């Protein structure tokens, strides 16, 4: 772990994405972080541009490249699932900690992260918002307290450009309530409901998806019984909540031994996470 007077060097993978730009801008504003690299895919129009100008925070003298060379800095990856194995490999070769916020990771990406965690510190999460991670704890408590007599539904909304559906956060919330209430994620979670004869099945948890305009993100968990309903909701008003959490995670991860860490540890929501 870095000392209090040391800045953490950070490289942003996926620099030209919505999150990548905000990560670079906020990293530039954080005195505890030094942005030393910005990477985007080969062929991207961002390659060769000044990272600061791309992020809207003024020239930094740091050009966006199409080749990830971490050099020991913490890598924050908000790109695409297909890039994750290569990112993990580059981080292992450089001995760089890796923070992954890319959602929709497939089995190959997850295997790559697990394998990398044997050599470097790895932290991947579907959502780095502090409030969303508090929502997980509240949802688990509600599912335990309310029991089988309450139906559980998850509704998520994001901007029209989001590629994966449902969101990784919605699926993670569904898994949280399943684990807390004795349901099976694989058996009881449904990703759609339509047809002429689709009555609700016992223990069912349905995840519904909206894609609307430029919405940065909203997740609602419904616990509905007969005559009453509890709603737990997180509404994002900007991507900064996610970016701030990811940068906080990067600072926390710097200098940690090899292993797979959780966002709850990085955000101080788990025991022993200081």
């Amino acid at each position: 772990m870095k000392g209090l007077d040391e800045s953490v060097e950070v490289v942003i993978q996926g620099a030209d994405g919505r999150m990548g730009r905000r990560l670079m801008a906020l990293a530039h504003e954080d005195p505890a972080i030094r942005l030393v690299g910005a990477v985007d895919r080969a062929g991207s129009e961002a390659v060769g541009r000044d990272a600061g100008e791309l992020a809207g925070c003024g020239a930094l003298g740091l050009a966006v490249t199409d080749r990830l060379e971490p050099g020991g800095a913490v890598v924050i990856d908000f790109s695409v699932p297909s890039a994750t194995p290569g990112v993990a490999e580059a981080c292992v070769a450089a001995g760089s900690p890796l923070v992954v916020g890319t959602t929709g990771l497939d089995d190959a990406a997850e295997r790559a992260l697990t394998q990398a965690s044997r050599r470097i510190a790895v932290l991947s999460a579907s959502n780095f918002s502090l409030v969303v991670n508090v929502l997980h704890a509240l949802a688990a408590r509600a599912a335990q307290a309310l029991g089988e007599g309450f139906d559980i539904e998850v509704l998520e909304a994001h901007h029209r450009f989001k590629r994966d559906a449902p969101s990784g956060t919605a699926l993670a919330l569904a898994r949280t309530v399943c684990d807390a209430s004795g349901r099976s994620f694989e058996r009881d979670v449904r990703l759609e409901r339509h047809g002429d004869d689709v009555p609700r099945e016992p223990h069912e948890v349905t995840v519904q998806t909206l894609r609307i305009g430029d919405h940065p993100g909203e997740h609602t968990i419904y616990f509905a019984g007969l005559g009453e309903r509890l709603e737990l909701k997180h509404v994002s008003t900007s991507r900064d909540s996610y970016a701030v959490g990811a940068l906080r995670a990067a600072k926390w991860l710097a200098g940690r031994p090899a292993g797979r860490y959780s966002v709850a540890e990085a955000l101080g929501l788990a025991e022993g996470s200081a």
Side-chain angles (χ1 to χ4, degrees), residues 107-223:
D107 291 341
E110 288 291 352
R111 285 194 299 270
L113 293 179
T114 297
Q115 186 173 0
S117 70
R118 302 188 181 106
R119 303 276 303 279
I120 60 172
V122 174
L123 193 163
S124 64
S126 60
N127 197 310
F128 284 90
S129 158
L130 177 62
V131 176
V132 164
N133 284 280
V134 171
L135 176 61
H136 276 277
L138 296 174
R141 183 70 186 96
Q144 292 170 344
L146 296 175
E148 296 183 359
F150 280 72
D151 303 326
I152 304 176
E153 299 276 284
V154 180
L155 175 66
E156 62 101 344
H158 283 87
H159 55 86
R160 66 176 65 165
F161 306 105
K162 185 169 175 60
R163 297 187 178 189
D164 57 318
S167 70
T169 299
L171 293 174
L173 287 167
R175 188 176 292 279
T176 290
V177 295
C178 283
D179 291 345
S181 62
R183 291 171 167 86
S184 165
F185 180 87
E186 290 72 20
R187 182 192 66 228
D188 296 324
V189 172
R190 296 181 58 173
L191 304 184
E192 61 181 358
R193 180 183 290 117
H194 62 84
D196 296 326
D197 186 20
V198 285
R200 184 181 184 85
E201 299 295 333
H203 304 293
E204 185 176 284
V205 176
T206 304
V207 181
Q208 306 280 7
T209 296
L210 297 177
R211 292 290 173 262
I212 46 177
D214 61 352
H215 199 319
E218 180 175 324
H219 295 86
T220 306
I221 310 171
Y222 298 88
F223 299 88

Side-chain angles (χ1 to χ4, degrees), residues 170 174 176 208 226 231 245 260:
T176 290
Q208 306 280 7
L226 299 179
E231 297 179 16
R260 193 84 183 256

